[in-house]
Amino acid sequence: LPTSPPASANKVCFGTVVNFTASGSAGLDYRFDLDGVLGTFSATSTFATATTLAVGNHTMVVTGRNSNTCTATSSTIAFEVLA
């Protein structure tokens, strides 16, 4: 699962797509939770934000799930969208 670089490095300008990529064993499903809103598990290991993501602070948490429904969750990844 992804790890977070220092918060000061996680700044993007408004209108920028922020891409997240999870890595793990074959056969995992992933859920990307943006700002506390739970996503849906799928085999897709990538997530891209909308270009209309609001200016301000945001968080991403990624959960991986195997076929036995065991899960592992990333640390919170904080990032900021600048005006």
Side-chain angles (χ1 to χ4, degrees):
L1 296 175
T3 57
S4 180
S8 61
N10 296 330
K11 296 183 180 192
V12 297
C13 291
F14 179 78
T16 301
V17 172
V18 181
N19 294 298
F20 294 91
T21 302
S23 60
S25 303
L28 291 180
D29 287 337
Y30 298 97
R31 186 183 75 204
F32 293 84
D33 305 332
L34 178 61
D35 294 332
V37 177
L38 299 181
T40 302
F41 278 105
S42 76
T44 303
S45 63
T46 60
F47 178 88
T49 65
T51 58
T52 56
L53 194 59
V55 170
N57 294 308
H58 298 277
T59 59
M60 173 63 73
V61 175
V62 182
T63 301
R65 179 179 70 184
N66 68 15
S67 60
N68 294 322
T69 68
C70 296
T71 60
T73 302
S74 73
S75 299
T76 299
I77 301 164
F79 64 101
E80 182 179 4
V81 176
L82 304 171

